Amino acid sequence: MIAPSILSSDFARLRDEVDEVIRAGCDWIHIDVMDGHFVPNLTLGPPIVKALRRHVQATFDVHLMVESPEHWIPAFVDAGADILTVHYEATPHVHRALQMIRESGKRAGLALNPGTSPDGLSYLLADVDLVLVMTVNPGFGGQSLVPSTLAKVAEVRRMLDEAGRQDVHVEVDGGIHAGTIRQARDAGADVFVAGSAVFDEPDRALAIESLRAALRE
Ligand code: DX5
Ligand code: ZN
């Protein structure tokens, strides 16, 4: 699945940008929420997600790069998120945060920064619907994929498969473009976030098609 990240879109035309990638055949809309503490950047909050939700049917994949995400989960559920992903590093109560998301009837994702071991996932295998392996350090679009993260994608996929959780998505985020997407897929990812590879291109349909073509090669 291809999930364009609106971080690289023109925020002044946000609704049109989202409509365009949906028309271009993307699967999910990836929404990067940053609080200026967990990551050195500040983006958007629940009101923007809510405003978009009124016009857009697509699945909203909300990536919370915020400290203590449990404080924000209710607001993003109310705003219309479908998938909520919290960072392992962002709270001592990651299990509780995942539980809160599921109890709200939403799908729960666990994100791991490049420097984070996947070991903690072994205690959370029953509590996730998605694992997001960050392939760059979170905070900004347009960075290069950190090669060591691909082995982690494979390790996460193996842990999930061994636990009988073939249904859990493994998502990669950061530095994904036509030249890297196959490596991520071969490592075991099935959801591909792409920000600059989609929104920095004038023809978004062509950009998404070249990602799909690279997967077919
Ligand atoms: C980074 C964000 C990403 C970002 C990816 O912190 O989580 O979703 O938009 O951007 P690209 O695809 O340009 O690396
Ligand atoms: Zn993201």
Side-chain angles (χ1 to χ4, degrees):
M1 267 183 297
I2 309 285
S5 159
I6 60 169
L7 185 62
S8 294
S9 71
D10 178 355
F11 278 177
R13 302 176 52 249
L14 188 53
R15 181 182 168 184
D16 293 341
E17 294 277 75
V18 169
D19 281 343
E20 199 177 324
V21 289
I22 291 170
R23 273 200 309 276
C26 76
D27 300 289
W28 293 352
I29 299 296
H30 185 84
I31 301 176
D32 287 307
V33 177
M34 304 186 185
D35 67 351
H37 294 280
F38 181 66
V39 287
N41 197 2
L42 196 58
T43 55
L44 51 85
I48 310 253
V49 175
K50 196 170 198 158
L52 273 180
R53 179 84 288 174
R54 283 197 282 273
H55 305 286
V56 178
Q57 313 283 309
T59 297
F60 282 178
D61 173 31
V62 177
H63 178 191
L64 295 176
M65 285 163 275
V66 303
E67 274 173 21
S68 304
E70 54 273 29
H71 297 311
W72 290 104
I73 289 164
F76 282 100
V77 167
D78 178 63
D82 298 294
I83 302 163
L84 278 160
T85 295
V86 296
H87 268 262
Y88 186 79
E89 310 83 7
T91 171
H93 304 294
V94 71
H95 182 272
R96 179 182 295 154
L98 294 167
Q99 255 182 338
M100 279 178 75
I101 297 166
R102 282 204 163 162
E103 281 167 8
S104 310
K106 305 298 175 188
R107 283 182 274 173
L110 176 70
L112 305 173
N113 277 339
T116 301
S117 155
D119 292 352
L121 173 63
S122 57
Y123 301 99
L124 300 165
L125 289 163
D127 306 291
V128 292
D129 301 295
L130 175 150
V131 179
L132 169 46
V133 177
M134 286 304 302
T135 37
V136 299
N137 287 295
F140 303 95
Q143 306 178 76
S144 299
L145 182 141
V146 176
S148 62
T149 59
L150 293 173
K152 186 163 36 176
V153 171
E155 172 69 4
V156 164
R157 186 69 268 168
R158 189 190 59 74
M159 290 169 78
L160 291 166
D161 288 350
E162 281 180 6
R165 297 300 318 272
Q166 285 83 1
D167 58 306
V168 175
H169 293 293
V170 177
E171 183 175 39
V172 284
D173 184 4
I176 299 298
H177 51 72
T180 54
I181 194 166
R182 260 191 63 185
Q183 282 173 280
R185 194 269 317 273
D186 291 347
D190 67 314
V191 182
F192 308 93
V193 177
S196 49
V198 170
F199 285 105
D200 285 1
E201 296 298 321
D203 185 338
R204 279 68 190 272
L206 191 63
I208 291 172
E209 181 43 37
S210 30
L211 293 172
R212 292 201 195 282
L215 285 176
R216 282 194 300 270
E217 264 167 31

